[in-house]
Amino acid sequence: MIISHQYRFIFIKTKKTAGTSLEVFLSQQCDENDVFTPIFPHVEPHIARNYSSLWNPIPEWIQSRGQGAKALIKSVMNRKRFYNHMPAQLVRNRISKKIWDSYYKFAVERNPWDKVMSHYHMINGREDHALSLDDYLQRGSLNYCLNYPLYTDQQGKPMIDRLVKYESLNDELGEIFDQLDIPFDGTLSVKAKSGHRKTRKNYRDVLTQQQKEHIDAAFAKEIEMHGYIF
């Protein structure tokens, strides 16, 4: 997650959408006073900064009606004000209304079937390539990369100014960076976390009909929101 006071933007980081590569690139472009949350595992030459500080948790506690109070208290005690993959709703709660309203806010989203394959290969790599795709799918939606809660409010309405499609990432980032006056030569020049995927077969050539339908159901909200088609 990034808050750039130099370029006046907020980047809401979603999962398996080149977010780490984008953070590494922007870390080198932005000012030392901007907010960059840590990446795990660390990727050079990214520099995390200004993510740890105290804030007033009372409005957040009231808004949540006391739910998650223990986690909130722990975050305050650990000064964990900003963190990786932080939902837009929390970012808004922890910064001033003036900054939230005036800064340009964007995130990236990805075709859900391709996103599932990318996430599966990452998890499978971490488990010594012993995990079948069916076993991965049976673990349930809590393990998938459902991103829409990160950039929508409790009613499911977008909280950002632009949702970039992963499939046209460089072109759309070029438009945003041009608008924000961020230097960009058309490519991020970074491919973080891409080493787990041993095959680049198209998801249409890999997924069975049953697997496709499983993903259809799990990502129905994102498919409807963004008009993705298999």
Side-chain angles (χ1 to χ4, degrees), residues 29-139:
Q29 306 295 327
C30 291
D31 189 83
E32 62 182 10
N33 296 316
D34 292 342
V35 175
F36 281 79
T37 54
I39 295 171
F40 300 104
H42 177 69
V43 179
E44 291 289 347
H46 179 266
I47 302 174
R49 50 196 185 262
N50 307 314
Y51 60 90
S52 178
S53 63
L54 292 173
W55 75 98
N56 179 11
I58 295 177
E60 195 173 317
W61 182 81
I62 294 174
Q63 186 181 48
S64 66
R65 298 180 180 179
Q67 295 182 3
K70 288 184 179 180
L72 179 59
I73 292 171
K74 184 178 179 180
S75 293
V76 173
M77 293 180 64
N78 292 333
R79 301 171 66 93
K80 193 177 180 182
R81 185 175 184 179
F82 304 111
Y83 59 88
N84 206 17
H85 299 303
M86 187 173 178
Q89 294 183 69
L90 279 187
V91 176
R92 182 181 61 182
N93 288 342
R94 297 184 186 182
I95 61 177
S96 71
K97 185 177 186 302
K98 181 179 179 180
I99 289 177
W100 177 262
D101 290 343
S102 61
Y103 282 23
Y104 188 83
K105 299 169 285 290
F106 70 100
V108 183
E109 189 54 281
R110 185 175 187 174
N111 174 311
W113 303 280
D114 192 43
K115 183 167 58 173
V116 163
M117 293 304 302
S118 178
H119 190 240
Y120 160 68
H121 283 292
M122 184 183 74
I123 299 301
N124 189 33
R126 291 175 178 174
E127 299 187 13
D128 298 323
H129 301 281
L131 181 68
S132 73
L133 180 56
D134 280 330
D135 286 341
Y136 164 82
L137 292 174
Q138 289 306 315
R139 290 183 175 182

Side-chain angles (χ1 to χ4, degrees), residues 184-224:
F184 184 60
D185 64 3
T187 177
L188 296 176
S189 301
V190 182
K191 289 187 177 181
K193 300 182 180 178
S194 62
H196 296 289
R197 197 165 183 170
K198 302 303 180 183
T199 175
R200 294 291 168 179
K201 287 185 178 180
N202 189 284
Y203 63 86
R204 289 188 294 261
D205 299 325
V206 176
L207 295 172
T208 66
Q209 181 64 25
Q210 184 177 8
Q211 290 168 341
K212 171 196 173 296
E213 291 174 357
H214 188 106
I215 296 168
D216 290 350
F219 288 85
K221 178 68 174 180
E222 290 181 4
I223 293 171
E224 179 185 7

